[in-house]
Amino acid sequence: MSKQELEVVGQDATCCQGLAGAPLDEERASELARVFKALGDPVRLRLLSMIASREGGEVCVCEMTPAFDLSQPTISHHLKLLRQAGLIDCERRGTWVYYWVLPGALDRLAAFLTTPQTAGVTA
């Protein structure tokens, strides 16, 4: 893996105003679009699910690669996009890289998508 700097989006603690709270400004819409674009690919969604659901909270890339009919560089590319979106992070340990979901990343998305329940309104 390269040592290049990756921009992590969505890490601001004040970012959690919901979709129904106020219209998005251009900057926030762009940030969220990068996150949702990262989640819009089935492989990346599966990778995130594998990482998030792992007991202990982290997964070695060596355990994820066999679950896909894709090359290791392709899996690494997908993981890089999830990192750039601010959803996961990683650490190299010897020859392997371990991934985990960033604390609060999924909670912030859930909070954004949650709309307040209005009394008397039925679906």
Side-chain angles (χ1 to χ4, degrees), residues 51-72:
I51 297 167
S53 65
R54 174 54 73 91
E55 187 175 328
E58 62 182 35
V59 182
C60 178
V61 69
C62 64
E63 298 174 70
M64 292 185 279
T65 303
F68 298 90
D69 190 25
L70 299 169
S71 68
Q72 187 278 325

Side-chain angles (χ1 to χ4, degrees), residues 8-71:
V8 177
V9 298
Q11 297 299 308
D12 183 3
T14 62
C15 70
C16 297
Q17 184 166 6
L19 181 62
L24 290 173
D25 64 27
E26 188 174 334
E27 181 180 344
R28 183 73 177 128
S30 293
E31 289 174 3
L32 284 166
R34 283 190 290 263
V35 173
F36 287 117
K37 184 174 181 181
L39 293 174
D41 182 277
V43 171
R44 290 191 290 273
L45 197 53
R46 286 185 59 206
L47 285 167
L48 183 64
S49 175
M50 289 176 76
I51 297 167
S53 65
R54 174 54 73 91
E55 187 175 328
E58 62 182 35
V59 182
C60 178
V61 69
C62 64
E63 298 174 70
M64 292 185 279
T65 303
F68 298 90
D69 190 25
L70 299 169
S71 68

